[in-house]
Amino acid sequence: MADRDASEPPGPAAAAELRNFLSEVPSPAAVGHRIVHSGPHLTGHTLIDARVRALLADVADLAPLHVTPALSVVDAARELLPDVPHVACFDTVFHKDLPAQARTYAVPERWRAEYGLRRYGFHGLSYSWALQRTAQALGRPVDNLQVVLVHMGGGCSACAVRNGRSVDTTMGLTPLEGLVMSRRSGSLDPGALLWLQRRHGLSTDELDDTLHRHSGLLGLSGTSGDTRDLVRARAEGDAAAALALATFTLSCRRGIASMAASLDRLDALVFTGEIGEDQPEVREEICSALTVLGVRGGLLVPELEDLMREGLRRIDQAGRGVPVLVVATGETQQIAAETRRVLGM
């Protein structure tokens, strides 16, 4: 009925912004909150009560860019709407049944059992939406699809889905692992981190800030973490922008290929997320070099306005290889669906 979008993460003014918004719209029947990390004790979307709020605070350090700001909004919303149910919708739930070999790190049992070191996977709300739309587009049931889904935005990841279930994904314990991202490094040799600490004296806080906020496309280009800026800069001869894009698209191809290794066949490759939606140059550079998987370049370029209105487009040239689709990001719609499901609405 009404919406407000903000380009920056929630800050101290979030409560006032939410109060102003609620003063202009009918009182909601429920509130759905996107929470990136569920931690080890919550395996499904759930009502938020004191216990759940405490469990979320305990895992906030596993996704510091996401969970702490989200909890500030949870607290503000629960205070402003105390008589309305609040539901936590987790990005990790989509991956809750990852096979043991896909979720397990090759570290001693003490680290796994006592510390809880394991792969969780993220972008699950986006993947849930994209998977359903892909099944509709291909006219096939979800439980008979084997696809690789790629979410490319500020954060980037890939996921292998076999018969409706996530069986592998590129992100791990935290949303820092995996593909090169806008400002996040993605996977890095753990030995490099030890070397930076020992040889150059970098502190944990310095590593944390640099890997989360000053790496990825921004760190490579030195100018921007936005692929739109980098495509323009590359066309003007900016070598750093060209390297950033080449590194990013190679990282995406590696991720897609590694996900395909967990499938028997590839029924479709699906792009979603802001970059996936509106950066045709990136999609083309990824797909044109994935012929080993039966994916071909020469992709169609739908108008972004048409894509957003229709929700999805098939962009491969029919009969030339594996179907390639673009699905408009649907995390908000998926949160609404999961909130209704939890409440039996």
Side-chain angles (χ1 to χ4, degrees), residues 123-181:
H123 290 136
L125 294 165
S126 175
Y127 287 145
S128 294
W129 180 260
L131 179 62
Q132 294 293 333
R133 299 307 306 275
T134 297
Q136 293 169 11
L138 297 179
R140 296 175 60 174
V142 167
D143 60 8
N144 189 33
L145 275 181
Q146 298 199 35
V147 299
V148 172
L149 307 172
V150 189
H151 180 104
M152 299 190 299
C156 301
S157 71
C159 171
V161 174
R162 177 199 291 266
N163 303 333
R165 303 178 73 163
S166 171
V167 294
D168 204 356
T169 189
T170 56
M171 282 182 167
L173 176 73
T174 77
L176 188 58
E177 187 180 358
L179 310 184
V180 171
M181 305 178 217

Side-chain angles (χ1 to χ4, degrees), residues 38-62:
S38 64
H41 302 298
L42 299 169
T43 58
H45 310 300
T46 185
L47 278 168
I48 300 173
D49 56 16
R51 170 183 168 272
V52 168
R53 175 62 179 81
L55 289 172
L56 294 178
D58 192 50
V59 299
D61 60 342
L62 291 175

Side-chain angles (χ1 to χ4, degrees), residues 6 13 50 58 62-63 67 69 75 80 86 89 93 141 179 194 201 237 255 297 303 325:
D58 192 50
L62 291 175
V67 175
D75 293 341
L80 291 167
H86 294 255
C89 301
V93 166
L179 310 184
L194 298 174
E303 292 292 335
L325 292 87

